[in-house]
Amino acid sequence: MSQLNTKAARGEFCVNGEWVPNQLTGQGIQNIFGMALGDVLHEQMQIGLCTGPLIPAFSKVSDPTLLTVPTVGVNGYAQPTIDKGALSWAAYGFVDSEVFVETTLFTFTASGGSFSSPVNRLFLSNGIGALIYKLFAYSQPFVDTPMTIVNGQILRVKYRIWFR
Amino acid sequence: MIEGVHSLVHNESGEEWVLKNQFLPQGFYDIARLLVESASINWEWGFCQGIASELITVNDIIEPTIGVNGYARRTVALIYPTFSMNLAAGERTTFTSTAFSGFIRTAPGWDKEVDRMFFVNKDSQKIVSMSVPMPAFLTTTGVFSATYTARLL
């Protein structure tokens, strides 16, 4: 955490009420600022579940095999979209001298069966489905051992970024 | 906090001042607000004497009188393409303004001595960014151009 806190911005994911630190990439902060400014180059982000390595290679275009993501469309797995505006972002403000902005709450619900692969991390990307084109943020594990999201199970997640 | 750079150039001589600055929490607040709301946020760019602090406003600085010997703030819309984002080498993102010309200081000079540049939120009058001091008070007259760049990560 101390390394993350030295940067101008840091992010964190919330999973069922528990906050999980993350690595926010350079292209992630670029995209979020660009989104705020209405920069034509900004991209919609997706929030997703995955498993992956301890330290991902934050290349500009990530290796799509780097993370294992449940198959979109199988038993209800979908990746909600985050873009500029109140539909995606719910709150902002000061805490002491730090400024935060936080997304709305998104839900992942397995229905009709389990998601196709176990998960223990979250990510932000511009990817569609299982292909991660650009990795914007990547969480630490929210459980040590990847868990299978079984039929009827719900994960409620959101993302928050801090500026300093 | 992050550091940015105000680059001020005297159009006639090419003399340049490169002034590091502090980007203040109130600047981040404006950007966070833009992300959530369909807000229209304008900053103004000006010159002053003062000391940066987290919650500084225009009441805490010494600024030349607007309209005296050419002094005027420049209005800067906090929106693309006035500001744009770029990913530089090594995953450091830069937040960069377009170049602004037309800061004018006519003889015998503004009515207050200045050694810093600042951005202020036009509505709240809260300072969002302030440079370190120039090596000396600005004495050059004429027309100046400026750009602003900050590195975010």
Side-chain angles (χ1 to χ4, degrees):
Chain A
M1 281 296 292
S2 59
Q3 183 182 358
L4 296 176
N5 285 343
T6 62
K7 295 183 176 179
R10 64 185 169 87
E12 53 192 348
F13 290 90
C14 183
V15 186
N16 288 346
E18 297 289 327
W19 287 99
V20 184
N22 86 149
Q23 293 190 48
L24 177 64
T25 67
Q27 62 198 1
I29 188 69
Q30 176 189 17
N31 199 64
I32 290 170
F33 266 67
M35 186 180 288
L37 299 173
D39 190 327
V40 293
L41 296 178
H42 94 266
E43 300 178 73
Q44 286 187 334
M45 299 191 295
Q46 294 188 358
I47 187 167
L49 302 168
C50 68
T51 58
L54 181 63
I55 302 174
F58 284 138
S59 58
K60 191 166 185 179
V61 179
S62 303
D63 180 347
T65 64
L66 194 63
L67 307 181
T68 302
V69 181
T71 304
V72 170
V74 173
N75 295 326
Y77 180 73
Q79 294 178 180
T81 296
I82 299 173
D83 207 341
K84 179 176 178 168
L87 289 178
S88 298
W89 299 92
Y92 65 98
F94 275 103
V95 175
D96 296 327
S97 60
E98 278 193 277
V99 174
F100 74 92
V101 58
E102 184 177 298
T103 69
T104 54
L105 201 59
F106 301 104
T107 58
F108 292 90
T109 305
S111 60
S114 301
F115 288 162
S116 63
S117 59
V119 296
N120 69 339
R121 297 175 187 265
L122 294 112
F123 64 91
L124 298 179
S125 79
N126 66 338
I128 305 295
L131 296 178
I132 312 301
Y133 295 101
K134 293 180 183 176
L135 200 55
F136 295 138
Y138 181 65
S139 82
Q140 292 182 7
F142 55 84
V143 289
D144 291 337
T145 303
M147 60 189 286
T148 298
I149 309 301
V150 299
N151 187 25
Q153 191 171 0
I154 298 173
L155 294 184
R156 293 182 173 84
V157 306
K158 59 183 174 180
Y159 187 72
R160 183 161 68 187
I161 183 169
W162 293 90
F163 302 121
R164 59 180 61 205
Chain B
M1 294 183 188
I2 60 170
E3 281 193 342
V5 172
H6 300 257
S7 297
L8 180 69
V9 177
H10 185 229
N11 287 4
E12 188 175 344
S13 68
E15 185 179 8
E16 182 175 12
W17 296 261
V18 178
L19 305 169
K20 288 186 177 181
N21 88 316
Q22 284 189 334
F23 194 83
L24 300 172
Q26 294 165 159
F28 287 128
Y29 183 84
D30 284 351
I31 288 170
R33 185 179 165 212
L34 276 181
L35 201 54
V36 179
E37 299 179 2
S38 299
S40 173
I41 296 176
N42 287 312
W43 289 352
E44 291 182 321
W45 208 350
F47 293 82
C48 69
Q49 288 182 56
I51 297 172
S53 61
E54 288 187 354
L55 300 177
I56 190 171
T57 75
V58 288
N59 295 326
D60 303 311
I61 62 172
I62 299 170
E63 183 183 16
T65 304
I66 290 172
V68 173
N69 294 328
Y71 182 71
R73 296 180 190 167
R74 294 297 310 264
T75 298
V76 179
L78 183 58
I79 193 168
Y80 178 87
T82 304
F83 286 97
S84 60
M85 310 302 302
N86 293 286
L87 186 63
E91 291 213 12
R92 291 182 69 88
T93 292
T94 56
F95 169 72
T96 307
S97 79
T98 52
F100 283 81
S101 184
F103 288 107
I104 299 169
R105 187 173 186 272
T106 56
W110 299 329
D111 63 349
K112 306 284 194 311
E113 291 188 306
V114 298
D115 61 357
R116 296 178 190 253
M117 297 187 75
F118 68 93
F119 284 115
V120 62
N121 181 301
K122 189 173 183 178
D123 295 319
S124 69
Q125 294 294 294
K126 293 177 178 176
I127 307 273
V128 298
S129 172
M130 180 181 283
S131 79
V132 301
M134 299 172 179
F137 288 123
L138 185 67
T139 56
T140 310
T141 57
V143 179
F144 299 84
S145 300
T147 54
Y148 179 79
T149 301
R151 286 191 170 189
L152 300 182
L153 193 70

